[in-house]
Amino acid sequence: MTKKKGIASKLFLVLVALTLLSCCFLGTTFARYTSGGTGKATTAVAKWDISFGETEDAEVSISMEALSPSMAAWKSGSNRTNMSQVVKVATLKNGGDVDADVTFAVGDTETFTLQEKAQFGTTGYGDNGGELTGDGASEWQAGQLFSITLCDQQGSPVSDIKVSAKGSYDVYAIVTWTSYDSNGEAVADAIDTWVGKNVTSVAFSITYTAVQASTASGGLVSGD
């Protein structure tokens, strides 16, 4: 009987020890609250918006009523030229949030508007032993007459400018009529005369390339 009580006492002590040990593990594992979650921080993206008004390019059209060839007489070894007034041709708009460096370019080909029923000559004017040949100026010959220079309002040439964020820039141009004097007086005068009688306007295409020129450092906005 005494031996059984001793065994029982030992078993009880072991059971108590195991219980205490278990409570230690349970207390370590489950005795504190734990939780997880997410938050967010947002920032607006700086807007990029460059255009000639509503378009990506602009077309400059010069009326022949506003420009003529030079009235000077032909002279060997020199070219007669006449320049138009400074004309506003487009407004470049920066609707974005950063500055832009803008470079302009003019298309290689002009677009002509002719009088009703007028047509360019098939071969253009030429000189055959001092005799004028051809049935009218060719489109290529007419194209050699005109060049355009982009400039500011005072007439100083510009090729690249900076447009501030939310700002704009007015683009101006000067068109020059250079007579085709290298082919002799008769041919040069015939081309000038034909264009003056049959062409109502000449248009040039202007394009641009815009590159980011400033950095926007917007702050973060936190939220749930």
Side-chain angles (χ1 to χ4, degrees), residues 111-133:
T111 302
F112 294 97
T113 302
L114 302 182
Q115 297 281 5
E116 187 177 0
K117 297 182 179 180
Q119 292 183 336
F120 284 110
T122 54
T123 60
Y125 286 117
D127 187 328
N128 184 15
E131 181 180 347
L132 183 67
T133 63

Side-chain angles (χ1 to χ4, degrees), residues 183-198:
N183 272 26
E185 181 179 7
V187 172
D189 287 349
I191 294 172
D192 284 348
T193 301
W194 189 95
V195 169
K197 292 174 61 176
N198 294 283

Side-chain angles (χ1 to χ4, degrees), residues 148-166:
I148 186 170
T149 302
L150 300 181
C151 60
D152 59 22
Q153 193 170 6
Q154 287 70 46
S156 299
V158 296
S159 59
D160 53 85
I161 51 99
K162 177 174 286 187
V163 184
S164 301
K166 306 300 183 185

Side-chain angles (χ1 to χ4, degrees), residues 171-188:
V171 183
Y172 294 83
I174 296 173
V175 174
T176 301
W177 185 325
T178 302
S179 297
Y180 199 23
D181 289 338
S182 60
N183 272 26
E185 181 179 7
V187 172

Side-chain angles (χ1 to χ4, degrees), residues 6-216:
I7 294 172
S9 297
K10 290 179 180 179
L11 291 173
F12 177 75
L13 290 173
V14 172
L15 181 61
V16 171
L18 291 173
T19 302
L20 292 174
L21 185 62
S22 176
C23 287
C24 289
F25 282 118
L26 290 171
T28 300
T29 306
F30 299 106
R32 58 186 179 213
Y33 291 118
T34 61
S35 63
T38 59
K40 64 181 180 180
T42 60
T43 184
V45 175
K47 185 180 180 183
W48 179 251
D49 180 18
I50 310 291
S51 66
F52 276 131
E54 301 298 324
T55 66
E56 291 300 315
D57 55 17
E59 188 172 86
V60 183
S61 183
I62 302 296
S63 169
M64 290 299 99
E65 295 178 358
L67 184 63
S68 71
S70 170
M71 62 179 290
W74 181 86
K75 184 183 296 185
S76 178
S78 64
N79 291 319
R80 295 167 293 175
T81 61
N82 185 39
M83 299 169 59
S84 73
Q85 299 294 317
V86 176
V87 180
K88 179 181 174 181
V89 296
T91 298
L92 186 69
K93 296 181 180 179
N94 183 354
D97 298 321
V98 292
D99 299 346
D101 284 330
V102 181
T103 302
F104 298 105
V106 178
D108 294 331
T109 305
E110 301 88 354
T111 302
F112 294 97
T113 302
L114 302 182
Q115 297 281 5
E116 187 177 0
K117 297 182 179 180
Q119 292 183 336
F120 284 110
T122 54
T123 60
Y125 286 117
D127 187 328
N128 184 15
E131 181 180 347
L132 183 67
T133 63
D135 55 354
S138 67
E139 187 170 3
W140 183 87
Q141 287 177 328
Q144 301 306 298
L145 300 180
F146 301 101
S147 60
I148 186 170
T149 302
L150 300 181
C151 60
D152 59 22
Q153 193 170 6
Q154 287 70 46
S156 299
V158 296
S159 59
D160 53 85
I161 51 99
K162 177 174 286 187
V163 184
S164 301
K166 306 300 183 185
S168 63
Y169 182 84
D170 291 332
V171 183
Y172 294 83
I174 296 173
V175 174
T176 301
W177 185 325
T178 302
S179 297
Y180 199 23
D181 289 338
S182 60
N183 272 26
E185 181 179 7
V187 172
D189 287 349
I191 294 172
D192 284 348
T193 301
W194 189 95
V195 169
K197 292 174 61 176
N198 294 283
V199 176
T200 60
S201 68
V202 55
F204 303 83
S205 178
I206 299 173
T207 58
Y208 68 89
T209 301
V211 178
Q212 181 180 343
S214 69
T215 301

